[in-house]
Amino acid sequence: MINVLWFILIIAAFIVAACNGKVDLLTTAIFQAVEDSVNIVLKLIGPMSFWLGLMNVAQKSRLNEYIAEILKPIIKRLFPEIPEGDPASFAIIMNLTANILGLGNSATSLGIKAMQELDRLNNHSDKASPAMCTLLAINTSSITIIPSVIISLRAANGSSYPAAIIISTLFATGISTITALIFDRFFRVMKR
Amino acid sequence: MPEAIMLISSWCIPVIIIFILTFALLKKVKIYEQFTEGASQGIKTAIKIFPYLLAMLVAINIFRESGALDLMVRLIKPFTEKLNIPGEVLPLLFLRPLSGSGSLSYTAYLLKEYGADSYIGKLASTIQGSTETTFYIVAVYFGSIGIKKYRYAVTVGILADLAGFFAAAFICKLLFL
């Protein structure tokens, strides 16, 4: 799937660029992207190290097991295959919290931590487990309650009420998350 | 109301950090040592993610720069105009799942051009705020643990993005038009 998708993006770009006589732009675009990816990874190292450090402290104090116990009902519903009281639940909860608060890089770091926990439960297979697909579905649909980045962008562009879009955003993000969860369940049953 | 939410949001992270550290100290965990041990995994994880991110960004960037994105916008414009969705926000439908910085800068352009309080401005803000950069998330999350078979994860992400876009168009028409 991903191999085909990747190829389609590249070949479509090449064909369209050739038709428009813009092939020279492709090389520039490639090396711009190369540079961007280095910058993104560099920006991610800080928050990721910080959260992985803090999560290690939580793990050593067994706090994650207590929290997993408390949040059992939610986790059980969303991720039925995670064993009761497994530390993976804590990482997932932290990821969801960071998402809700709209903390971009922290949410990504904690999401990766959660994926690593799920990878352990999946015996480090190279095939995504259903739990991984569900976590990914929630993350790609975004569950932000406070779209802080966009609110500051609106304020910077002279909006008289930058937070006016909170309600509409909440509605749209809710619909997209519900859609993601419904299809996730659908495929989970279909492709078993 | 929004102010209250913002206030909670700014308190949340510091409180979580203090709570985790205090709890661990009471449990006699050597917090400084454990923190640094965990943090040392950060760079390793970043290095693991890098090739996936690189592959994805290169494909997405040439797709955008070649004009293939504009072509897709032109193809579906007649259809979405019937739904009262202004053509100006249409590039976001394709840009949002592909590129976080790309869609953010396009939203910034729309806010500047049409005004943050205009209908287009509010709709673009809602779209930008309500979905995520699916391809980035997939590359980074699965890349970090070496998943090769993505199964249905990408399909679900794209369907969620579509739903988010049209939900944003629907609610903005109801609230702001």
Side-chain angles (χ1 to χ4, degrees):
Chain A
M1 165 89 184
I2 194 70
N3 291 301
V4 176
L5 208 58
W6 197 59
F7 182 72
I8 290 176
L9 282 176
I10 291 174
I11 198 74
F14 177 75
I15 293 171
V16 175
C19 293
N20 293 341
K22 292 203 292 188
V23 182
D24 52 318
L25 276 180
L26 290 184
T27 318
T28 326
I30 288 171
F31 288 99
Q32 180 61 49
V34 169
E35 212 180 305
D36 286 350
S37 57
V38 172
N39 286 331
I40 291 176
V41 165
L42 280 181
K43 268 191 198 150
L44 207 56
I45 290 178
M48 191 131 67
S49 304
F50 178 79
W51 285 112
L52 287 177
L54 205 64
M55 293 294 281
N56 197 44
V57 173
Q59 203 170 332
K60 290 287 144 56
S61 66
R62 304 185 62 191
L63 174 67
N64 51 359
E65 290 166 37
Y66 293 110
I67 305 261
E69 196 60 32
I70 297 168
L71 295 165
K72 216 162 58 185
I74 306 173
I75 295 294
K76 219 174 171 67
R77 179 144 296 194
L78 283 173
F79 302 92
E81 54 281 285
I82 294 180
E84 265 184 34
D86 192 276
S89 322
F90 181 66
I92 292 173
I93 292 300
M94 290 289 285
N95 164 252
L96 298 188
T97 310
N99 262 313
I100 289 171
L101 297 173
L103 306 164
N105 275 345
S106 297
T108 309
S109 311
L110 290 162
I112 290 167
K113 174 70 185 163
M115 279 295 175
Q116 288 170 345
E117 297 283 349
L118 293 178
D119 189 38
R120 170 177 54 80
L121 291 176
N122 198 25
N123 293 320
H124 306 282
S125 157
D126 66 352
K127 186 178 174 191
S129 69
M132 290 175 187
C133 292
T134 305
L135 184 64
L136 202 80
I138 297 174
N139 272 280
T140 55
S141 67
S142 148
I143 41 164
T144 311
I145 289 187
I146 312 119
S148 33
V149 176
I150 194 75
I151 290 177
S152 22
L153 187 69
R154 290 171 55 77
N157 278 285
S159 168
S160 55
Y161 189 33
I165 48 100
I166 282 191
I167 301 295
S168 58
T169 305
L170 214 54
F171 175 83
T173 200
I175 295 287
S176 107
T177 304
I178 291 168
T179 308
L181 286 175
I182 289 175
F183 278 109
D184 178 63
R185 279 303 121 121
F186 174 74
F187 284 120
R188 207 184 251 235
V189 176
M190 289 287 292
K191 302 208 169 173
R192 190 144 47 193
Chain B
M1 173 69 177
E3 288 75 14
I5 301 175
M6 295 289 241
L7 191 70
I8 295 171
S9 147
S10 59
W11 271 77
C12 216
I13 289 300
V15 168
I16 288 176
I17 295 170
I18 299 294
F19 177 71
I20 290 178
L21 293 179
T22 314
F23 184 87
L25 202 65
L26 291 176
K27 288 260 171 185
K28 299 195 170 49
V29 172
K30 291 179 177 144
I31 53 172
Y32 183 76
E33 286 164 31
Q34 294 302 339
F35 178 84
T36 46
E37 191 194 304
S40 70
Q41 298 298 311
I43 291 186
K44 271 185 224 161
T45 312
I47 290 173
K48 223 168 164 183
I49 294 166
F50 178 68
Y52 299 91
L53 197 60
L54 177 74
M56 204 54 105
L57 286 190
V58 165
I60 288 166
N61 210 34
I62 61 170
F63 185 75
R64 216 177 79 196
E65 294 290 322
S66 68
L69 192 82
D70 301 332
L71 191 72
M72 288 176 78
V73 167
R74 249 180 292 156
L75 284 177
I76 67 153
K77 204 172 172 176
F79 169 69
T80 48
E81 266 173 354
K82 284 199 184 109
L83 294 171
N84 256 328
I85 300 170
E88 288 83 352
V89 301
L90 217 45
L92 282 179
L93 172 63
F94 301 104
L95 215 46
R96 190 70 192 95
L98 292 173
S99 158
S101 58
S103 65
L104 189 65
S105 54
Y106 188 73
T107 303
Y109 154 79
L110 288 179
L111 293 183
K112 205 171 178 167
E113 191 72 20
Y114 299 93
D117 294 326
S118 67
Y119 180 59
I120 288 176
K122 282 177 180 161
L123 178 56
S125 308
T126 304
I127 296 166
Q128 177 68 28
S130 64
T131 51
E132 256 300 338
T133 319
T134 298
F135 285 70
Y136 167 74
I137 303 253
V138 171
V140 166
Y141 278 32
F142 279 176
S144 72
I145 51 170
I147 292 289
K148 303 270 183 317
K149 298 183 181 107
Y150 290 20
R151 300 179 70 195
Y152 48 85
V154 179
T155 317
V156 171
I158 291 172
L159 287 169
D161 287 332
L162 273 177
F165 181 87
F166 288 105
F170 170 79
I171 192 74
C172 285
K173 194 173 150 192
L174 212 66
L175 291 178
F176 303 131
L177 201 64

